[in-house]
Amino acid sequence: MSEREICMRRPDLCDPMAVAREEAWREAVGTVDMAELLRKMAGEPTPPPVPEPPPPAPPVPPEFAPGWGALIRIKGLLLSSYWRLVNTPYASLNDVVVVKNPQEVYVLRRDRKADRWLEPPDALYLAGRVERQYCIYGFVLQRSIELIAQMFRSGRYALVLGCDPRAIVKPPRRYELAQIWRYEGYVVNASPARLAVIRLDGAAKPKIAIKYFSKGCPVYSLWANQLLQLIGVPIQLTC
């Protein structure tokens, strides 16, 4: 009978440490964690498992209120208009995009008169005035896009924009302005949109944001999309 068999039958005749090593070896048979086996044989404690890194936080989606598909009514002097809040990354013809900040974006689509509708929520109201310093030539220049983006990042401005086929730039009579129109104005007419930059002012009377749209300036839709991209808004105009 070998020494191993004797130790297995009569553990009291053998070295206790040898018996412990033998039992650890028998428990580890069939496993592939050799490092764990060696730690058990040496009597070392098992280290705690390494925690997995937490998954990255998902991006904060824009907030829309009162909810997708909600139909709201906007009162006019003579007639009322009806608009629906839509969840879409593209704003088409007659849509209006209201950007209060990159996390608070509203896309409104014109809808027919309905029996059931909601009053506009407070989030669709803006208090301020339309800034016209970038619109001195009758339309928004391409080089003004970066300036408008900087103004918006300051937190004191909001944007209202959308496709508008009526935003046509007429050629000016003055020679100096005609040269500017020659290089940029005709491009605006190729795919016209409208942009209103609102300088926020808490002392002003709040108005529904859509009413600022008509007071905006013509802009080439591609430049308007560049502006949305610069300020981090995942919506594009399809004019």
Side-chain angles (χ1 to χ4, degrees):
M1 186 179 294
S2 64
E3 181 180 357
R4 177 181 176 185
E5 294 176 349
I6 294 174
C7 290
M8 294 301 297
R9 294 188 177 184
R10 295 290 305 276
D12 56 319
L13 301 178
C14 300
D15 184 10
M17 295 300 297
V19 176
R21 287 193 295 270
E22 178 68 20
E23 292 178 354
W25 177 84
R26 292 183 65 184
E27 293 176 359
V29 172
T31 64
V32 295
D33 193 354
M34 296 302 298
E36 182 70 17
L37 172 61
L38 294 176
R39 283 194 294 268
K40 286 185 177 181
M41 294 179 63
E44 297 179 358
T46 302
V50 179
E52 297 182 0
V60 179
E63 296 180 0
F64 292 80
W68 300 123
L71 185 66
I72 60 176
R73 184 186 71 166
I74 298 177
K75 297 178 181 180
L77 294 177
L78 299 177
L79 300 175
S80 298
S81 59
Y82 296 84
W83 300 78
R84 189 175 300 277
L85 287 169
V86 294
N87 178 13
T88 173
Y90 300 102
S92 57
L93 188 65
N94 296 325
D95 292 351
V96 175
V97 183
V98 180
V99 185
K100 302 181 73 173
N101 55 68
Q103 285 75 41
E104 196 173 2
V105 183
Y106 306 89
V107 180
L108 295 104
R109 181 162 295 167
R110 195 72 176 260
D111 208 329
R112 295 178 300 176
K113 181 178 179 180
D115 296 333
R116 299 181 60 184
W117 38 261
L118 301 174
E119 293 295 337
D122 294 339
L124 287 180
Y125 283 84
L126 297 172
R129 58 180 178 83
V130 176
E131 187 66 71
R132 298 185 179 276
Q133 65 175 351
Y134 61 89
C135 194
I136 56 178
Y137 297 105
F139 62 94
V140 180
L141 299 174
Q142 183 179 16
R143 57 179 174 267
S144 300
I145 297 300
E146 179 61 35
L147 171 63
I148 297 173
Q150 295 177 2
M151 293 165 57
F152 178 82
R153 295 191 196 104
S154 68
R156 299 191 299 270
Y157 293 85
L159 304 178
V160 179
L161 66 162
C163 302
D164 186 0
R166 298 172 298 179
I168 302 299
V169 182
K170 297 181 180 180
R173 296 182 179 180
R174 291 179 55 185
Y175 176 79
E176 297 82 358
L177 301 183
Q179 294 302 310
I180 297 175
W181 183 92
R182 178 182 177 184
Y183 288 102
E184 295 195 24
Y186 75 96
V187 179
V188 176
N189 293 340
S191 182
R194 191 176 296 274
L195 169 65
V197 180
I198 297 93
R199 184 183 181 92
L200 301 177
D201 184 4
K205 181 180 179 180
K207 295 191 299 183
I208 189 70
I210 293 180
K211 294 187 176 181
Y212 290 100
F213 179 70
S214 60
K215 299 180 180 180
C217 289
V219 62
Y220 182 34
S221 62
L222 178 60
W223 300 343
N225 286 333
Q226 292 176 354
L227 173 61
L228 293 172
Q229 184 178 5
L230 286 174
I231 63 179
V233 174
I235 293 176
Q236 294 289 291
L237 302 180
T238 57
C239 303

